[in-house]
Amino acid sequence: MTSSASEDDRPSRDEAEAAVHTLLRWAGDDPAREGLRDTPKRVAQAFEEWFGGYLIDPQDYLNRTFDEVEGYDEIVVLRDIDFVSHCEHHLAPIIGKAHVAYLPDRRVVGISKLVRVVEGYARRLQIQERLTSQIAKAVETTLQPHGVGVVIEATHQCMTTRGVRKEGVSMVTSCVLGSFRSDRRTRQEFLRLIGHGG
């Protein structure tokens, strides 16, 4: 797991709601008005959902594997995994899709577990480069396949809604390990399977 505040250091729910109350006042509004009265509570609930990844180790999802694969030894690819993360610099949403692939070495994992790994790391404060690497390393460490490939395409609301305010710009990051890095044909097949092959 990445470093995070320990349970002893974690503020109480009341402290979190008080912080939101302060931010509402700082923004120039009245937290006591009807529309905002329950906003601190709602924001705290949203944070519990958005950042639930701190309470789990996503690698744990990969611990139950299957060995009966009848000799299957080709790439396994899960494309277009939708996710929402949040930029650690502005707390703005990062909205995108992840493509995760691995080349099994006798063991495979249920495909829903790959989705849960993406979600587990996405539900933390992130930068896209680290998110990409964390997913790839979790699959490599736990499944010990011949190779792993992860590509993430995402839009960053910290850039589209503030700062340079450029719509329609997406960022693409990749992490390839093992045979996906050393074997050009394996890497090209992965990119072709996710629609990035030339």
Side-chain angles (χ1 to χ4, degrees):
M1 295 177 78
T2 59
S3 60
S4 59
S6 71
E7 283 299 314
D8 293 337
D9 295 335
R10 194 173 183 189
S12 69
R13 179 67 175 266
D14 287 343
E15 289 175 298
E17 291 182 17
V20 177
H21 187 276
T22 298
L23 282 172
L24 292 172
R25 285 179 49 224
W26 181 78
D29 215 320
D30 176 11
R33 72 175 175 84
E34 184 180 11
L36 293 178
R37 202 171 298 141
D38 290 328
T39 295
K41 182 190 303 181
R42 289 190 290 260
V43 170
Q45 289 172 339
F47 265 51
E48 285 178 332
E49 185 175 340
W50 290 335
F51 305 117
Y54 287 113
L55 303 178
I56 61 169
D57 183 348
Q59 280 188 220
D60 289 344
Y61 291 121
L62 300 172
N63 284 332
R64 182 166 183 227
T65 60
F66 305 96
D67 298 324
E68 297 177 2
V69 296
E70 299 292 334
Y72 184 85
D73 61 358
E74 298 295 332
I75 295 175
V76 175
V77 182
L78 199 59
R79 301 186 310 181
D80 299 326
I81 304 169
D82 290 323
F83 72 87
V84 176
S85 190
H86 285 79
C87 159
E88 67 181 32
H89 301 133
H90 301 96
L91 304 186
I94 301 170
I95 302 170
K97 292 181 183 295
H99 313 285
V100 180
Y102 66 100
L103 187 58
D105 181 11
R106 299 182 304 277
R107 297 190 303 162
V108 296
V109 69
I111 59 174
S112 68
K113 302 303 188 281
L114 295 175
V115 174
R116 292 185 185 279
V117 169
V118 172
E119 284 286 304
Y121 286 116
R123 290 177 185 268
R124 299 177 179 187
L125 292 170
Q126 282 289 9
I127 62 170
Q128 186 173 327
E129 296 90 338
R130 182 172 63 230
L131 175 61
T132 308
S133 178
Q134 285 175 329
I135 295 166
K137 288 177 179 174
V139 175
E140 180 187 50
T141 300
T142 313
L143 296 185
Q144 298 181 339
H146 292 296
V148 179
V150 176
V151 170
I152 291 181
E153 308 167 73
T155 58
H156 292 244
Q157 302 302 302
C158 59
M159 188 177 77
T160 62
T161 63
R162 56 159 301 282
V164 295
R165 297 186 184 180
K166 290 296 179 187
E167 292 286 344
V169 177
S170 62
M171 180 174 171
V172 180
T173 50
S174 67
C175 182
V176 288
L177 304 171
S179 59
F180 283 67
R181 178 179 288 271
S182 62
D183 186 336
R184 180 169 168 265
R185 289 174 302 174
T186 302
R187 184 168 60 253
Q188 286 182 326
E189 182 181 358
F190 165 52
L191 294 174
R192 180 182 58 78
L193 289 170
I194 66 171
H196 283 257

